[in-house]
């Protein structure tokens, strides 16, 4: 006696579509309820170099530009010396930083803004992502989770700062503005570097525009040059501080956090030893860059 197979019913596509729609709506509702309530009166302002990121962001950016033939190996040697000085001294010298960043801006003269924006994304992945301090990144996320806006405030070019802010999921960035005409960089600055008192002016302008209560705001930096910005808010915090900022923070009862290791060893050497280390590091940087080409 032969037996016939009973055909199985095909999938109910309409039912599955309904189920998919209901699942999507439910997930959206969960995300809505998990989202923090906005805190419109408070925000956090973070310096970048040695606060959010290890070392100087402009140096990491310069390495990426060098690999793309924006300038010569001789130019990157100078940048390496500047980076070594920054890491050994742990203090921002305004004149030193101004020369370094003005030189870097000169290298982009004649290039399109859109070109630098695209390259900036690539350089972040290559040279910057692994330099982010996990501890400072966690602090920024705590503010976001509390519904507060988080801004980067840096003397670095705004193009660099904007990439870092975007990739870390922050609100935005304030940085030094490079002049451009018809979408092409001139190699000049608009005004001066966003440094020292300029950062405090920028933060106050954002507070006025966004309706922030500065007494409820937070500011984070490693440098005593940022005392005007730190003193402007109700909750200042010294991150990886230079000696002057550390002393000031302790005297004022500010929060101090240090995510570095071996800092005392680096600072305890003699000036001659520092020069020797700087020379070796600069030469190693050149060798590394030559191998990468």
């Amino acid at each position: 006696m032969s037996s016939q197979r009973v055909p199985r019913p095909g999938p109910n596509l309409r039912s599955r579509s309904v189920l998919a729609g209901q699942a999507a709506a439910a997930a959206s509702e969960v995300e809505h309820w998990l989202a923090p309530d906005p805190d419109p009166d408070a925000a956090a302002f973070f310096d970048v170099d040695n606060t959010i990121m290890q070392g100087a962001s402009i140096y990491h950016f310069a390495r990426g530009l060098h690999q793309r033939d924006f300038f010569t190996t001789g130019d990157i040697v100078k940048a390496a010396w500047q980076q070594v000085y920054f890491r050994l001294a742990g203090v921002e010298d305004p004149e030193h930083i101004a020369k370094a960043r003005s030189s870097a801006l000169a290298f982009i003269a004649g290039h399109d803004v859109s070109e630098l924006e695209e390259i900036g994304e690539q350089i972040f992945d290559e040279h910057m992502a692994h330099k982010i301090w996990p501890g400072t990144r966690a602090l920024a996320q705590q503010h976001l989770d509390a519904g507060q806006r988080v801004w980067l405030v840096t003397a670095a070019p705004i193009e660099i700062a904007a990439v870092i802010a975007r990739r870390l999921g922050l609100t935005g960035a304030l940085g030094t503005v490079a002049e451009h005409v018809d979408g092409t960089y001139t190699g000049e600055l608009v005004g001066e570097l966003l440094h020292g008192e300029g950062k405090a002016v920028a933060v106050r302008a954002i507070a006025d525009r966004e309706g922030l209560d500065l007494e409820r705001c937070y500011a984070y930096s490693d440098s005593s040059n940022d005392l005007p910005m730190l003193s402007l808010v109700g909750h200042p915090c010294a991150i990886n501080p230079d000696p002057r900022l550390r002393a000031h923070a302790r005297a004022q009862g500010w929060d101090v956090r240090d995510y570095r290791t071996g800092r005392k060893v680096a600072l305890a050497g003699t000036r001659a030893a520092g020069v020797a280390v700087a020379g070796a590091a600069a030469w190693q940087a050149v060798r590394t860059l030559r191998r990468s080409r």
Side-chain angles (χ1 to χ4, degrees), residues 116-158:
L116 264 293
E117 290 175 346
E118 181 179 351
I119 290 175
E121 296 283 350
Q122 299 168 8
I123 293 176
F124 179 88
D125 291 331
E126 296 167 3
H127 299 293
M128 297 183 181
H130 64 287
K131 294 292 185 180
I132 301 298
W133 290 108
T136 314
R137 177 67 185 92
L139 285 174
Q141 188 60 50
Q142 287 177 14
H143 288 289
L144 294 173
D145 291 342
Q148 298 168 355
R149 284 159 286 184
V150 178
W151 296 82
L152 299 182
V153 188
T154 175
I158 185 62

Side-chain angles (χ1 to χ4, degrees), residues 21-281:
Q22 292 173 339
S28 175
E29 184 177 0
V30 169
E31 290 181 359
H32 170 75
W33 286 108
L34 288 177
D37 293 330
D39 185 355
D41 297 331
F45 300 92
F46 285 81
D47 172 49
V48 173
D49 293 351
N50 213 33
T51 301
I52 281 280
M53 176 180 298
Q54 299 176 42
S57 56
I58 191 65
Y59 170 74
H60 304 311
F61 191 63
R63 287 188 62 193
L65 293 181
H66 173 269
Q67 292 172 344
R68 290 160 175 82
D69 296 320
F70 272 65
F71 47 88
T72 67
T73 299
D75 295 321
I76 201 65
V77 171
K78 296 177 183 178
W81 275 93
Q82 291 160 353
Q83 170 71 352
V84 170
Y85 171 88
F86 181 87
R87 297 191 69 173
L88 285 177
V91 180
E92 292 183 9
D93 172 50
E95 183 178 354
H96 175 85
I97 296 297
K99 288 180 179 178
R101 287 176 174 145
S102 294
S103 297
L105 287 169
F107 295 136
I108 67 176
H111 291 275
D112 293 339
V113 174
S114 57
E115 177 188 9
L116 264 293
E117 290 175 346
E118 181 179 351
I119 290 175
E121 296 283 350
Q122 299 168 8
I123 293 176
F124 179 88
D125 291 331
E126 296 167 3
H127 299 293
M128 297 183 181
H130 64 287
K131 294 292 185 180
I132 301 298
W133 290 108
T136 314
R137 177 67 185 92
L139 285 174
Q141 188 60 50
Q142 287 177 14
H143 288 289
L144 294 173
D145 291 342
Q148 298 168 355
R149 284 159 286 184
V150 178
W151 296 82
L152 299 182
V153 188
T154 175
I158 185 62
E159 290 79 6
I160 300 176
V163 169
I164 298 171
R166 183 163 56 251
R167 298 301 288 276
L168 296 183
L170 309 181
T171 306
L174 306 170
T176 297
V177 178
E179 180 184 68
H180 53 85
V181 177
D182 297 329
T184 302
Y185 290 107
T186 66
E188 302 294 332
L189 294 177
V190 176
E192 299 293 334
L193 292 167
L194 188 63
H195 190 269
E197 186 62 37
K199 288 187 178 182
V201 171
V203 168
R204 187 177 293 279
I206 289 291
D208 291 341
R209 189 186 76 189
E210 303 290 329
L212 299 173
D213 179 359
L214 286 172
E215 281 300 313
R216 296 195 59 236
C217 288
Y218 297 74
Y220 301 86
S221 178
D222 71 296
S223 174
S224 57
N225 291 312
D226 287 339
L227 281 172
M229 178 180 75
L230 292 167
S231 302
L232 191 63
V233 301
H235 303 281
C237 178
I239 301 286
N240 306 324
D242 63 41
R244 183 184 169 206
L245 177 58
R246 182 181 293 273
H248 184 89
R250 285 178 172 171
Q252 297 296 319
W254 294 356
D255 191 16
V256 177
R257 302 182 182 225
D258 201 323
Y259 302 119
R260 298 167 295 185
T261 57
R263 57 180 301 274
K264 292 183 179 180
V265 175
L267 295 176
T270 64
R271 180 173 299 179
V275 170
V277 172

